[in-house]
Every structure is written in structure tokens, then in C-alpha cells.
Amino acid sequence: NKEGRLLPAFFTSFRQNLKQGSLIWLGFLLAGSLIGFDLLWASQQGTLIATAMFVTFAIIGVIYACCLSFVFVVLARCDNTVSAIFKMSCGMVIRNFPAVLAGVVVYAGFFLVGAFLFWPLLLVAPALPAYLNSFLYNRILAKYDLSLS
């Protein structure tokens, strides 16, 4: 009977996920900064090689966005090391790329509509696409035997 230990278990899990989530965010922040800098640099050059670099880093940026949108879902579901969670999420993204890309398009669509057409949408933009993508991501995660936390 573990009902009386719910609050301490919550704070223990929160502390563990906060540490792992912070490390993952720092890694994604560094990688995103590098990709963004390379895209900016390549877009300002006028050569053929810079155009090829821009296309290459744009593709890497799409894969980065897919991994970014999925790694925290895996973090919430699994008890593992940061590197193992990153590897698992990248493997799941590669295997289910069209579905995860659709989730990224949902996030981007809400942001773009909020930024350019209807600004009050930005107030609910983080929550509503996350809720919609939860159906998609739960369908993906149902294929895998994950040790739930």
C-alpha cells in the first residue's frame, strides 16, 4: 500500500527529472545555437557551397526539432541515464519520423498562426499543441515496452 507515500515519491521524481531535463536542455541549447549560427552564416554567403551547407543544416535542424519535441516525452516515461534517454528518443524519432514530424508541424503551425495572425493564440500555444501531440506520441510509445516511471 503506497498511497500514503505519494507526495514524497512525486518530489523525488520531480528532482530526478529536473536534473536530467536541465542537462538535456543545455545540450539542446548548445546544439541549437550551433545549428542556428551555421544557418545564419550560410544564408549570408553567396556561394554554391554555402547554399549546400544551408540545405544540409536545414535538414539537420528539422531532425533537431523532432528530437527536441520527443526527448522530453521519453524522459517523462522512462527511468534511465541522460545519454540512454537521448539515444532512445532519437531512435524512436528515426523509426517514426513522419508521425513525429507531424507533431513538430503542429507546434510550428500554432506558433506561426499566433505570431502572424492571432496573437492571443500564443497564450495557449504551449499547452494546446502539447495536448494534441500527446495523442500522437502515446500511439508511438505504445509500440515500445518502456519501463514506466
Side-chain angles (χ1 to χ4, degrees):
N1 189 4
K2 294 185 179 183
E3 292 175 10
R5 313 223 10 106
L6 183 63
L7 200 58
F10 168 78
F11 283 114
T12 301
S13 293
F14 179 78
R15 192 176 312 115
Q16 179 185 4
N17 286 343
L18 183 65
K19 288 177 187 175
Q20 289 181 328
S22 298
L23 289 173
I24 292 171
W25 263 120
L26 284 174
F28 271 104
L29 179 66
L30 291 173
S33 299
L34 182 65
I35 292 169
F37 174 75
D38 286 337
L39 283 171
L40 181 67
W41 182 83
S43 68
Q44 293 177 349
Q45 305 301 315
T47 64
L48 183 63
I49 293 175
T51 304
M53 283 179 57
F54 183 82
V55 170
T56 302
F57 282 109
I59 292 169
I60 291 171
V62 168
I63 296 169
Y64 165 83
C66 290
C67 288
L68 178 63
S69 73
F70 203 71
V71 71
F72 294 102
V73 175
V74 176
L75 174 65
R77 291 284 185 110
C78 297
D79 290 327
N80 218 331
T81 64
V82 172
S83 62
I85 288 172
F86 180 73
K87 289 175 190 175
M88 285 174 32
S89 65
C90 287
M92 290 179 191
V93 164
I94 291 169
R95 181 171 168 94
N96 304 288
F97 187 73
V100 177
L101 184 62
V104 170
V105 168
V106 168
Y107 280 121
F110 269 85
F111 176 75
L112 292 175
V113 168
F116 294 114
L117 296 178
F118 187 62
W119 70 265
L121 187 63
L122 290 176
L123 299 174
V124 294
L128 191 57
Y131 175 71
L132 294 174
N133 284 339
S134 70
F135 297 111
L136 181 66
Y137 292 161
N138 281 333
R139 183 181 292 169
I140 292 170
L141 291 172
K143 299 177 189 176
Y144 301 98
D145 182 28
L146 300 176
S147 62
L148 296 178
S149 53

